[in-house]
Amino acid sequence: MSRYYSACVLWCGVSYVFIFFTMKGAVVKTLVIISQKGGAGKTTLAVNLAAAAELAGLPTILIDLDPQGSSRVWAEQRGGNAPEVLSDHPKQLPALISKAEQAGAGLVIVDTAPNADQSALIAARAADLIVIPCRPSVYDLAAILASVDLTAIAKKPHVAVINAAPIQGDVANDARANLGQQGVVVSPVIVHQRAAFPNSAIVGRGVQEYEPRGKASLEIAELFKDVAKRAGLPIVEPIEMEC
């Protein structure tokens, strides 16, 4: 028998209801955030997607495999509010995902270290979808192919996300086109460099919690919807309605 749960969320002044259907014995879905290059914005996407999932009513566990522990720092600033953040050695990832599933999570998001080594491959093989953040710079665009190659080795689907894009100009769209020509799957959602991202991180919040009517909030809402579909989360399209 299926069951469902929903949440009413205010995004940019508009109320939506997301409905997630779960089946008895359903397997938790796992998003793994990978990038060979440091500074691509893995943790920024990881914590904001985790917060977005919780706001949409989907119980989520964030697993921090990066020795820098940035996601853990963000969690400490939240004062114990969901999502819970776990950390361990990459070899323990299957056990951590199993623990999350037993705890009732519907989604696991994994924040990895900035490399494409054996640890990243372990994480990639555990993914239902690999998310690759990429800044629209020549150096990042050159480095992303190593991460895409890793997804091929792991035999898992991927989506690249143009992240921290300048608000002005066409560089982000040019970067999307460049990656598409190289066979990289690219999200239609572009995440721009906005003050809400660092400001919300300081207080342990996602941008939707920090500035719910802001442009950063809308971008993360759209990105969450995109990756949820790609990962196979049984989500009904958001319905506009009064909460």
Side-chain angles (χ1 to χ4, degrees):
M1 177 180 296
S2 65
R3 56 189 173 89
Y4 70 90
Y5 46 94
S6 63
C8 183
V9 187
L10 180 67
W11 283 330
C12 295
V14 180
S15 299
Y16 294 94
V17 170
F18 274 89
I19 304 176
F20 294 89
F21 288 90
T22 61
M23 300 297 293
K24 184 177 181 181
V27 178
V28 64
K29 295 295 183 179
T30 302
L31 300 179
V32 175
I33 319 293
I34 284 178
S35 174
Q36 181 190 36
K37 193 175 184 303
K42 292 186 308 302
T43 299
T44 295
L45 291 190
V47 300
N48 278 284
L49 287 173
E54 285 285 348
L55 282 173
L58 183 62
T60 301
I61 299 290
L62 176 56
I63 298 178
D64 190 352
L65 299 183
D66 189 343
Q68 294 181 5
S70 298
S71 290
R72 295 195 302 273
V73 172
W74 176 80
E76 289 169 2
Q77 296 298 319
R78 288 181 72 79
N81 292 328
E84 181 181 0
V85 177
L86 307 176
S87 60
D88 208 324
H89 190 277
K91 291 183 179 179
Q92 299 302 316
L93 182 58
L96 291 175
I97 294 174
S98 177
K99 179 180 178 181
E101 187 172 11
Q102 292 170 11
L107 177 65
V108 169
I109 297 177
V110 183
D111 185 13
T112 64
N115 50 50
D117 60 8
Q118 187 64 27
S119 297
L121 181 58
I122 291 172
R125 284 174 170 159
D128 291 292
L129 176 69
I130 298 170
V131 179
I132 310 173
C134 180
R135 289 175 178 261
S137 75
V138 62
Y139 305 112
D140 290 73
L141 293 172
I144 194 176
L145 294 181
S147 299
V148 174
D149 288 344
L150 188 71
T151 70
I153 294 170
K155 298 181 180 179
K156 294 300 177 76
H158 75 272
V159 62
V161 178
I162 301 301
N163 188 44
I167 296 172
Q168 305 270 340
D170 296 326
V171 63
N173 287 321
D174 291 345
R176 287 190 68 252
N178 178 285
L179 292 176
Q181 290 170 3
Q182 298 182 71
V184 179
V185 179
V186 189
S187 172
V189 181
I190 295 173
V191 179
H192 292 86
Q193 192 165 7
R194 302 186 188 277
F197 287 107
N199 291 344
S200 60
I202 291 171
V203 293
R205 295 289 180 268
V207 290
Q208 291 172 284
E209 300 165 311
Y210 180 80
E211 196 175 79
R213 300 190 183 202
K215 292 181 179 179
S217 175
L218 179 60
E219 290 171 357
I220 290 297
E222 290 300 315
L223 181 60
F224 172 66
K225 183 172 68 172
D226 183 38
V227 299
K229 286 182 180 179
R230 293 176 188 272
L233 283 166
I235 176 176
V236 175
E237 281 288 337
I239 317 164
E240 183 178 346
M241 63 180 291
E242 293 297 326
C243 290

